[in-house]
Structure formats: structure tokens, C-alpha cells
Amino acid sequence: MHFQWYPGHMTKARRMMQENIKLIDLIIELVDARIPLSSRNPDIDEMGKNKARLIVLNKADLAEEKRNDEWVEFFKEKGYSAVKVNSKKGGGIKSIQSVIQEACREKTERDRRRGILNRPVRAMVAGIPNVGKSTFINTLAGKACTKTGNKPGVTKGKQWIRLNKSVELLDTPGILWPKFEDQTAALKLAFIGSIKDEILQTEELAAELIRFLEKEYAGVIGRKYSVEPAEDPYECLRRIAESRHCLVRGSELDTEKASALLLDDFRNGRLGRITLENPGDITGK
């Protein structure tokens, strides 16, 4: 399976982000807690070299708690501020304001020395598609101030949101890099839904997910769908289709429907809390 996806509006979004970066003090980068490294955009590091940084592990409720804590420590060791949140239910959101102030403490001290008092921190919220930026901003602001959706590419333009007298947020559209140099990262992004399903081979993607789950979370599929394990992931899909009565033309198994069911169950946490990558894979620990 080979991935190549870069919608036109993302080129424009990257240019817009470059133009706006000089207006802000802090970059709040949202990543998906299930794939904190693969859901980062390398461009943001390059563009935000001299800015304070906050990494927000969103959808933390869908990932293993132990792994969430490991990733927070991983990013802190790299010199970033880092927190884990569940934007949909508001978990961890209350701590964000104080973390923003702490991340920008040096900037606030510089302002104070220059006699500039009470200037709000201006923060840019950035991240790749479908990591939940709009939901995060709405929950943080306590009102629906951005359009949300569960498909990549809903946020199309920029907008400033005043949280309170001390923080202003700049929302930006999600951006992906122009070329997937690491196809493993691209596969993980496809698993969580950051690449539009319309351009993917659903059965092939589901088969790859089964391979991963059988290796790292053995027994999860069997318990969820009441099926016996199978060495061949496509046979596993047939068993899921049979168990869930996914049929076409009477009695023929609909493995395409079973694949979509499996991916949807994974993305919405119905298979349990699953993390697709660990800091140990990078550090060798």
C-alpha cells in the first residue's frame, strides 16, 4: 500500500502558517495520542524554531495510559511543554491555561523588563488533519467558535479566538507534508483516519491493522468479534464478516463492510485503548 496525498488547500495553509508565525508567541501542536510521532508535521519544527512550544496529546482516552505518560516525558525531555487531553470530554483541558503561561514565562519576563504589561499570549493551534483541533479549541474556549467535523480538512481558513484577557488563539487548517517519505507513518495516519478513506483500499488497510493488533494486542479481535484467530488477516476479515453478518447477495461474505466496521471500531475506541507507537521504539529502551 503506497500513500500520496496533499490537497491543494494544504499548500495554501502552509504558506499562511509561515506568514502568521511571526505574530505569535507559542505554537500549540496537537498530536494524536495513539501516534504522537507520526501525527506530527516536520514543517512545524522548522517554521517554529524560535517560538515556545506546547505538545498536546489529544484523544488520550483512546491510547494506553502508561504510553501517554511515556510520551509526555519523551517530549519534555526534548524541551517542549507537553500535556495529555481528551478534548471531547474535557479531560485535561483545565490545566491548559496554566501550561500556556508556564510555556511563555520567558516571553512574559522579557515583556515585563521592557515595561510591557498584561499583553495576552498569542498562540497558534496547529496540527495535521483530524487530530481534533477544532474540538480542542471549542472545549478550551467553552463555546463553539470553530466548525468541527470528524473528516480531515474541515477547517479551511484562519481565525483568532480570544480565550480571556491573557490568551488569544490562532486556529489554522490542518497540514500534511507533501510527500510521505516514511510509509510506516503514513499507514498509521491512515489507521486513525487522517487520510481520507475514499483514496484508500479499505480491505488492505484493515488487513494491515489486523497484523499489528495480532502482534501487539493479541486476543483483542477475538474478544471483540467472537472469532478464532487466523494467521491470514484476510481470513480474519472473513470471520469477522461471518460473525457480524456482513453479507452481500444473500449469503456471500462482505469483507469490505467488515473492514470498514473494524476500522471504525478501532478509531472510536471500541477495541479498547490502543497505542500504535511507543517512545521505546525510537530510543531503543
Side-chain angles (χ1 to χ4, degrees):
M1 182 174 272
H2 186 79
F3 300 89
Q4 185 59 47
W5 184 56
Y6 198 73
H9 79 265
M10 290 187 183
T11 308
K12 184 181 170 191
R14 190 185 190 284
R15 200 162 47 238
M16 186 192 300
M17 192 172 172
Q18 279 176 312
E19 289 166 6
N20 291 323
I21 210 124
K22 52 184 164 293
L23 305 174
I24 58 108
D25 309 301
L26 169 72
I27 298 174
I28 300 173
E29 183 185 357
L30 259 70
V31 298
D32 189 300
R34 293 166 293 181
I35 54 167
L37 214 57
S38 294
S39 59
R40 295 195 66 215
N41 185 326
D43 289 347
I44 295 175
D45 277 347
E46 180 58 33
M47 287 189 278
K49 275 190 290 207
N50 302 315
K51 302 293 178 182
R53 303 291 300 278
L54 168 58
I55 306 284
V56 175
L57 280 83
N58 196 25
K59 307 186 183 182
D61 57 310
L62 299 178
E64 282 189 75
E65 189 64 16
K66 177 187 169 206
R67 298 302 184 195
N68 290 339
D69 293 336
E70 287 172 5
W71 278 112
V72 166
E73 285 310 307
F74 173 85
F75 286 120
K76 284 182 176 176
E77 283 174 16
K78 297 274 181 198
Y80 303 121
S81 297
V83 291
K84 55 186 179 181
V85 304
N86 168 9
S87 295
K88 266 192 177 170
K89 294 182 180 171
I93 291 291
K94 282 183 181 173
S95 68
I96 294 290
Q97 299 266 11
S98 60
V99 175
I100 288 173
Q101 297 302 330
E102 179 60 30
C104 293
R105 194 172 48 173
E106 282 184 29
K107 169 253 166 200
T108 307
E109 288 298 323
R110 276 198 311 273
D111 281 355
R112 191 172 287 125
R113 286 196 295 271
R114 292 172 185 158
I116 303 166
L117 302 174
N118 303 321
R119 186 171 79 80
V121 168
R122 296 193 115 187
M124 175 186 284
V125 182
I128 67 163
N130 217 32
V131 290
K133 290 192 312 303
S134 296
T135 304
F136 169 75
I137 291 168
N138 291 347
T139 307
L140 191 57
K143 56 185 183 294
C145 45
T146 65
K147 186 180 178 187
T148 60
N150 58 4
K151 287 191 173 182
V154 170
T155 310
K156 291 292 197 296
K158 78 164 176 176
Q159 53 185 325
W160 284 99
I161 298 122
R162 189 173 178 83
L163 287 186
N164 52 44
K165 63 180 183 181
S166 57
V167 181
E168 290 178 356
L169 291 183
L170 175 63
D171 185 24
T172 60
I175 54 175
L176 278 175
W177 41 95
K179 186 169 66 176
F180 289 119
E181 289 170 3
D182 180 355
Q183 288 291 301
T184 307
L187 182 64
K188 293 171 188 171
L189 288 164
F191 286 158
I192 68 164
S194 280
I195 301 170
K196 287 183 177 174
D197 285 343
E198 296 94 281
I199 66 166
L200 300 173
Q201 299 286 331
T202 308
E203 284 181 67
E204 199 177 337
L205 187 63
E208 290 290 348
L209 181 58
I210 288 169
R211 284 191 187 100
F212 173 84
L213 292 172
E214 288 298 341
K215 183 175 174 227
E216 302 293 337
Y217 292 88
V220 160
I221 291 174
R223 287 192 295 273
K224 174 67 179 172
Y225 301 106
S226 305
V227 296
E228 291 296 316
E231 276 192 37
D232 177 14
Y234 292 96
E235 174 58 29
C236 185
L237 281 173
R238 285 189 283 276
R239 291 178 186 182
I240 292 171
E242 189 173 19
S243 171
R244 290 304 163 95
H245 307 293
C246 300
L247 305 171
V248 286
R249 291 188 293 279
S251 58
E252 192 178 323
L253 295 175
D254 188 344
T255 50
E256 180 85 16
K257 187 175 179 182
S259 299
L261 176 72
L262 172 65
L263 289 166
D264 190 62
D265 283 343
F266 164 71
R267 289 169 184 170
N268 289 287
R270 290 189 285 270
L271 300 181
R273 297 178 73 164
I274 290 169
T275 301
L276 299 176
E277 59 190 15
N278 306 315
D281 300 338
I282 305 137
T283 60
K285 289 180 186 174

